């Protein structure tokens, strides 16, 4: 719409009207606003049980010492079923060596090994799989609410949708950093097909998008998953949502980001003190 109005600089100028607010209905500014909004997380029934969500964390030995402690300080406690997959078995975490070497590029080989382990070596009664990076910050608490809106008996592939070559017959895919959510049925259909990695270090999320596209299984986009950090998005954009995930630890305090943006409730206690971080600082 903005490009259409702009018309390469020849279109009409936009008129900012501060009374059209992006503030929450409970904001102190709301009395002066012609418009307000209310945040809510989609909830279509009872939240999915903790035991119905299996979480797979992709890591490697060089990040065991800095990234994994962040997971354990933040969202690990929300997950009833969680395993860490690495290129080295470390019993102190513990991590599981899948026998797939770590690569500097994509992690297609590791991700497909995780999918096979989920399908063949976990309880068939566990309907949901979440695959995240070791520097993904995620609220499993909120994800369980969101998953109440999806049928695990259908092939579901959920997350933040990106696109590759969409104007020339390409495909959509779920970007891995924000977290990829699979129903067990989706994993079954994928592994029953012939679609696999063209190389061990291929980009896993793009290969998965290509595979599901070929199977006729649609990608389900949710804007609540985020490939980047909170400060990488416009403040007004984030103010309209209750996020499920963020990604990357670059130049931030990831523990602080988690308790500011993703902790289950605003009264979460950390070391006996109420968390009171200011989102504007992040």
């Amino acid at each position: 719409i903005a490009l259409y109005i702009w018309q390469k600089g020849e279109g009409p100028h936009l008129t900012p009207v501060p009374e059209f607010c992006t503030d929450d209905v409970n904001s102190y500014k709301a009395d002066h606003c012609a418009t307000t909004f209310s945040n809510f997380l989609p909830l279509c029934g009872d939240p999915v049980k903790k035991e119905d969500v299996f979480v797979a964390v992709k890591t490697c030995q060089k990040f065991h010492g800095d990234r994994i402690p962040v997971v354990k300080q933040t969202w690990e406690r929300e997950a009833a079923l969680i395993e860490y997959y690495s290129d080295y078995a470390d019993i102190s975490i513990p991590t599981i060596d899948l026998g797939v070497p770590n690569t500097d590029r994509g992690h297609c080989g590791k991700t497909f090994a995780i999918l096979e382990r989920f399908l063949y070596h976990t309880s068939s009664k566990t309907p949901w799989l979440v695959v995240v990076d070791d520097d993904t910050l995620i609220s499993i608490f909120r994800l369980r609410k969101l998953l109440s809106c999806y049928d695990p008996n259908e092939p579901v592939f959920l997350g933040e949708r990106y696109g590759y070559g969409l104007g020339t017959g390409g495909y959509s895919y779920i970007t891995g950093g924000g977290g990829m959510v699979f129903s067990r049925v989706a994993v079954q259909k994928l592994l029953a097909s012939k679609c696999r990695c063209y190389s061990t270090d291929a980009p896993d999320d793009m290969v998965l998008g290509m595979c599901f596209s070929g199977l006729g299984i649609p990608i389900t986009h949710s804007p609540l998953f985020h490939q980047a950090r909170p400060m990488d998005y416009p403040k007004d954009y984030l103010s309209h949502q209750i996020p499920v995930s963020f990604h990357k630890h670059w130049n931030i305090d990831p523990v602080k980001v988690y308790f500011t943006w993703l902790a289950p409730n605003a009264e979460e206690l950390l070391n006996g003190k109420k968390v009171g971080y200011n989102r504007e600082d992040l």
Side-chain angles (χ1 to χ4, degrees), residues 39 142 230-231 235 238-239 241-243 257 259-263 276-282:
N39 270 332
R142 293 177 183 172
M231 67 281 296
K235 184 181 68 172
L238 292 181
S239 72
Q241 56 177 237
I242 298 176
V257 167
F259 281 104
T260 302
W261 290 92
L262 298 169
Y277 300 128
N278 184 353
R279 289 186 173 187
E280 303 258 341
D281 298 335
L282 300 172

Side-chain angles (χ1 to χ4, degrees), residues 39-49 141-150 224 242:
N39 270 332
F40 65 93
L41 193 67
L43 183 61
C44 306
D46 292 333
V48 169
K49 296 177 182 177
F141 178 83
R142 293 177 183 172
L143 177 61
R144 288 168 47 219
K145 289 188 175 182
L146 180 62
L147 288 179
S148 71
C149 297
Y150 299 95
L224 306 182
I242 298 176

